[in-house]
Amino acid sequence: MIKAVVTGHSRGLGAAVAAELMARGIPVLGLARGHAEVAEGMEQATVDFGDAAALGAWLQGHTLAGFLAGADTVLLVNNAGVVSPVGPLAEQEPAAALRAAIVNVGAPLALSAAVVQAAPQAERRILHISSGAGRSAYPGWSVYCATKAALDQHARAVALDGDPRVRCVSMAPGVIDTDMQAEIRATPDARFPLKQRFVDMKEGGVLVSPAECAARLVDCLLSKRFGQEPVDDLRNGS
């Protein structure tokens, strides 16, 4: 039996991934600050990924292990993330930078370890939602670039651990039409000099829908070749 854990499932890409998994008959445990509309095949838990103490306390509980009981394959989609703070160092709020590091890096790394340990008899597949920003530096995005690069390195190192029952991929999904993209387009030019590029993509109709991206991500998660490339890009035909 396959079971899946999806972070940030209450909206955007996370909601689309959760819906796609459930449409394929895979039960989902959704983790987010807010709840999604209740759907058959979904369990939900309220978790603030920016609160390290609260996340640690939740991970010490029994919800995760209880949900994963009986699974022979476990999927973890580390989707939750934030793009802020945006701007040069002189304009970044230190508390926002700290929260971004916890949400974008600390939480997915901790959850990855927790999932692997909670289902020791299962095959475990971990999918980090990364970004091209983790592989190319952008002005104004030092925090976002650094945190996404950390996910890439985590996947590479997990592959080197050599456990054939644990596969981890850090996947750049492309530019998706989500609330995060709207936030980027609303950023002042002075804070993010490349903003016009994202405005042009929206106006040009080239953004991928969350549902289309989710279908391809789930195909990738379930494929036999998942994990062969620990750092990948969905636009490469993965």
Side-chain angles (χ1 to χ4, degrees):
M1 182 179 187
I2 303 175
K3 293 184 179 181
V5 179
V6 180
T7 70
H9 75 290
S10 61
R11 60 179 184 168
L13 180 60
V17 169
E20 181 68 26
L21 288 164
M22 289 185 293
R24 302 193 193 197
I26 299 173
V28 171
L29 172 62
L31 307 178
R33 285 186 298 169
H35 274 205
E37 183 177 344
V38 176
E40 184 177 353
M42 175 182 283
E43 296 184 24
Q44 302 184 70
T46 302
V47 181
D48 183 354
F49 292 107
D51 185 334
L55 175 59
W58 186 85
L59 289 174
Q60 290 177 358
H62 303 292
T63 301
L64 186 62
F67 173 77
L68 296 179
D72 49 40
T73 300
V74 171
L75 312 176
L76 169 61
V77 181
N78 282 314
N79 163 76
V82 295
V83 70
S84 60
V86 177
L89 283 175
E91 299 178 20
Q92 288 178 13
E93 177 61 43
L98 178 59
R99 179 177 176 81
I102 297 170
V103 173
N104 293 358
V105 183
L109 268 55
L111 191 55
S112 296
V115 164
V116 166
Q117 294 165 26
Q121 305 306 317
E123 178 184 355
R124 289 138 295 174
R125 298 186 174 199
I126 301 164
L127 178 63
H128 296 321
I129 302 301
S130 185
S131 169
R135 302 156 199 180
S136 299
Y138 295 162
W141 272 10
S142 58
V143 172
Y144 188 64
C145 290
T147 55
K148 292 302 182 181
L151 295 182
D152 290 355
Q153 285 293 78
H154 180 259
R156 291 187 179 105
V158 168
L160 294 176
D161 288 341
D163 187 339
R165 297 183 64 78
V166 176
R167 308 188 198 182
C168 185
V169 174
S170 189
M171 180 74 72
V175 187
I176 310 159
D177 198 2
T178 62
D179 290 346
M180 181 178 287
Q181 281 298 311
E183 181 182 347
I184 291 168
R185 294 192 299 273
T187 304
D189 292 348
R191 284 183 172 266
F192 185 46
L194 299 182
K195 182 183 82 170
Q196 190 59 43
R197 171 186 172 187
F198 292 86
V199 172
D200 292 344
M201 284 192 285
K202 173 66 173 178
E203 294 177 349
V206 300
L207 299 186
V208 178
S209 73
E212 178 183 349
C213 181
R216 295 186 62 198
L217 285 171
V218 173
D219 283 344
C220 175
L221 255 175
L222 299 176
S223 71
K224 291 182 179 179
R225 68 175 298 272
F226 182 82
Q228 291 181 3
E229 296 292 338
V231 175
D232 211 343
D233 192 309
L234 200 59
R235 292 162 291 191
N236 292 338
S238 300

